[in-house]
Amino acid sequence: MTKKLFEDFEKVSSKEWKNLIQYELKGADYNDTLVWESLEGIKVRPFYHFDDTQIPQPIPTSISNFSILQDIFVFDVDKSISRALKTLERGAEVLRFTVEDKSLNLELLLASLPIETVEIFLSLGFLDLEYIQKINAIAINRNATIWIQVDPIAQLAKDGNWYSNLDRDFKILNNLYQTNLKVHLLSVDSSLYQNAGANMVQQIAYTLAHANEYLNRIENNPGPLLIEVAVGTNYFFEIAKLRALRWLLQLVGKEYQADFSFKILASPTKRNKTIYDYNVNMLRTTTECMSAILGGADVVTNLPYDALYHKDNEFGDRIARNQLLILKQESYFDIVDNPAEGSYYIENLTQQLAEKALELFKDIEANGGFITQLIEGTVQRKINESAQKEQTLFDSGKETLLGTNKYPNPQDKMAHDLELFPFVKSNPRKTLIVPIIERRLAENLEQQRLEAEKNNAQ
């Protein structure tokens, strides 16, 4: 905190406050009664004091400049163009197109959009030198800001295989960086770790180690990195997570280059979303977007409340986008640049998360680096252990999802409303490593309810 408030008041130390609380407890144990421990091993106290937190440097965030991103999966180019233009009219500020098929006419798509003034993100399901060079030429000709999200390490972690293999994937990246590269190329997709059940310390450390592999393996200056994160429902912890991540990314980046920069793109997690009582998903995504914004995300995209079980639809997208518009334009989340600074609780959480994550990051680097630990299965094992701890809390009712494991509506039926398969898909095949699998907390319970629906209908 750079400025202390209420300097005219007599100072009260942290110890004096604790003694007063202990007196009011009338003999009850302070730690047993008021202190709880998070999955990250952080003990959360009932009050925080300036004495408790010493952030060595400010963590600057530019919340007033955060952008609202609209996701569009490209299947039909003409329909994608129409949808993109409509969403820009209705409040979207940034567009992200997911492209899985490189035969799609991306030149036509970009030619139809105002890319001179609208930032574009392209999430590619493949790594192709010529394809990226074509996009780069468009960016040069039209002076456009385009972020191409290619992430071989995330591909390995999620799919179990590289795009081609380690050497070829990084050779393509290095070849691209030896050209006149206008587009921003490298992306670190760490949302996978949160969605698979990693705790916050692991998420931060794995993101750092993931990014560090690129900084080590790309021969030229890779330019700004795009860091994609998923945000969960633990409101203040998530604010602190993003702040700690920014702090440590700056720390690691400066070891390579003085002008290291990055952009954080945040979206709500899928892990706590449900198909039953699905309207509660809107409440969950609202608080998660709030955490993302207050934590300092540069770009925020929302998850439609029905994304688990409905195909893309205009109503779900509009509701999700309007949630962000309300936060930005009516709740004034874009007025103060660094609102979390000076909150003793958030600053303390930031410090503890950063310290624990830095320790884990150093351990990863000392044991071969992130790719090595992925290939050895260490990362997968640790995420699974963390995910199982949280799953046990959910199954026992200690972690609550309203409408699912607490206060469920027995009249709520979903068997006939599923357009998408909302559970982990089984696809046995040969892979280089065991992939990291995203899994929601409510999956087993929902499958039981769907089975009961079918049985009752017979």
Side-chain angles (χ1 to χ4, degrees):
M1 189 173 74
T2 56
K3 181 180 179 181
K4 299 178 183 178
L5 303 179
F6 310 119
E7 289 286 352
D8 294 336
F9 290 83
E10 183 178 348
K11 291 181 173 60
V12 181
S13 69
S14 176
K15 184 177 180 181
E16 289 176 291
W17 277 115
K18 186 175 179 180
N19 288 340
L20 180 60
I21 293 171
Q22 187 67 64
Y23 173 78
E24 294 293 337
L25 288 174
K26 303 184 186 303
D29 184 85
Y30 176 87
N31 291 320
D32 291 343
T33 306
L34 299 178
V35 177
W36 59 275
E37 185 170 320
S38 74
L39 290 170
E40 294 77 18
I42 294 176
K43 295 185 182 298
V44 180
R45 304 194 300 273
F47 80 99
Y48 286 82
H49 191 276
F50 180 74
D51 297 343
D52 300 326
T53 305
Q54 296 297 326
I55 297 291
Q57 63 185 46
I59 304 172
T61 56
S62 299
I63 292 172
S64 61
N65 295 319
F66 89 89
S67 301
I68 298 172
L69 181 147
Q70 177 67 52
D71 273 305
I72 298 174
F73 184 89
V74 182
F75 178 76
D76 181 294
V77 172
D78 290 334
K79 289 182 179 178
S80 296
I81 292 170
S82 174
R83 185 177 171 194
L85 293 174
K86 287 179 181 177
T87 57
L88 289 174
E89 292 175 0
R90 295 173 179 175
E93 299 165 321
V94 179
L95 298 173
R96 176 165 63 177
F97 298 98
T98 298
V99 180
E100 298 289 346
D101 183 359
K102 60 184 178 183
S103 67
L104 285 170
N105 191 343
L106 198 64
E107 291 94 333
L108 174 61
L109 174 68
L110 296 177
S112 306
L113 299 174
I115 62 175
E116 296 87 352
T117 56
V118 175
E119 202 169 19
I120 301 294
F121 292 77
L122 297 173
S123 178
L124 304 183
F126 50 87
L127 178 57
D128 185 275
L129 180 64
E130 292 183 3
Y131 198 88
I132 294 173
Q133 287 175 334
K134 288 180 181 178
I135 300 170
N136 188 58
I138 295 171
I140 293 172
N141 291 335
R142 297 183 60 185
N143 193 28
T145 301
I146 299 177
W147 296 76
I148 300 180
Q149 290 185 255
V150 290
D151 188 349
I153 298 174
Q155 170 70 16
L156 174 68
K158 178 171 56 178
D159 185 72
N161 291 311
W162 298 96
Y163 292 112
S164 297
N165 57 61
L166 186 153
D167 291 337
R168 178 171 170 76
D169 286 0
F170 277 94
K171 183 178 180 180
I172 290 174
L173 291 178
N174 277 301
N175 285 342
L176 285 165
Y177 276 107
Q178 291 171 7
T179 63
N180 178 23
L181 204 61
K182 167 69 172 173
V183 297
H184 304 305
L185 187 57
L186 278 181
S187 172
V188 174
D189 183 3
S190 66
S191 62
L192 172 65
Y193 313 133
Q194 207 284 344
N195 285 317
N199 65 43
M200 292 188 197
V201 170
Q202 291 171 332
Q203 292 170 48
I204 298 169
Y206 294 159
T207 304
L208 286 177
H210 188 153
N212 195 51
E213 289 285 357
Y214 289 127
L215 294 173
N216 274 322
R217 294 172 183 269
I218 300 300
E219 296 168 3
N220 293 343
N221 183 342
L225 294 179
L226 180 66
I227 310 294
E228 183 165 3
V229 300
V231 179
T233 196
N234 195 341
Y235 188 73
F236 293 110
F237 268 70
E238 292 291 347
I239 295 172
K241 179 183 83 176
L242 265 65
R243 289 169 58 77
L245 177 61
R246 183 176 292 277
W247 179 13
L248 293 180
L249 282 168
Q250 291 170 337
L251 189 66
V252 171
K254 285 179 180 178
E255 294 297 316
Y256 290 89
Q257 59 198 62
D259 60 345
F260 174 76
S261 63
F262 56 90
K263 185 187 288 282
I264 295 178
L265 190 164
S267 62
T269 181
K270 299 174 187 173
R271 187 158 170 78
N272 63 359
K273 302 306 179 290
T274 59
I275 62 174
Y276 286 95
D277 211 351
Y278 48 76
N279 287 320
V280 181
N281 289 335
M282 281 188 273
L283 302 179
R284 297 178 182 126
T285 55
T286 297
T287 62
E288 288 157 5
C289 288
M290 290 166 68
S291 292
I293 298 166
L294 296 175
D298 301 290
V299 182
V300 182
T301 181
N302 197 5
L303 185 72
Y305 73 98
D306 59 349
L308 295 178
Y309 63 92
H310 273 169
K311 296 177 182 178
D312 284 349
N313 62 88
E314 184 178 354
F315 183 77
D317 280 346
R318 185 177 181 183
I319 292 294
R321 189 170 56 251
N322 284 352
Q323 288 173 258
L324 288 170
L325 287 169
I326 289 171
L327 289 175
K328 186 168 190 175
Q329 298 179 3
E330 298 183 29
S331 302
Y332 306 111
F333 270 54
D334 62 339
I335 298 300
V336 180
D337 269 334
N338 204 349
E341 186 181 38
S343 165
Y344 303 148
Y345 178 38
I346 295 176
E347 295 278 35
N348 186 278
L349 291 179
T350 300
Q351 183 176 353
Q352 290 194 67
L353 287 171
E355 289 172 353
K356 289 177 178 289
L358 185 59
E359 183 179 351
L360 177 54
F361 168 70
K362 290 178 178 178
D363 179 75
I364 293 169
E365 295 304 306
N367 287 280
F370 191 65
I371 292 176
T372 296
Q373 294 218 340
L374 274 176
I375 293 173
E376 293 174 349
T378 304
V379 173
Q380 296 91 318
R381 175 175 54 81
K382 290 184 176 181
I383 290 177
N384 285 337
E385 290 171 357
S386 177
Q388 190 54 53
K389 288 180 182 178
E390 188 180 18
Q391 189 69 54
T392 299
L393 291 174
F394 174 80
D395 293 342
S396 65
K398 293 180 180 178
E399 181 166 339
T400 299
L401 291 181
L402 290 176
T404 301
N405 69 339
K406 191 167 187 178
Y407 307 126
N409 178 7
Q411 306 304 316
D412 197 4
K413 309 297 181 186
M414 289 297 298
H416 299 292
D417 201 21
L418 301 182
E419 297 176 357
L420 302 172
F421 185 73
F423 308 115
V424 172
K425 298 178 179 67
S426 178
N427 182 24
R429 57 198 166 81
K430 186 176 180 179
T431 58
L432 178 65
I433 68 168
V434 176
I436 298 173
I437 305 298
E438 297 182 356
R439 185 184 297 273
R440 294 181 298 108
L441 289 168
E443 288 199 16
N444 291 338
L445 189 55
E446 290 173 348
Q447 287 174 316
Q448 293 171 16
R449 290 184 65 175
L450 286 171
E451 187 64 29
E453 279 188 50
K454 293 175 184 177
N455 293 335
N456 292 334
Q458 292 175 356

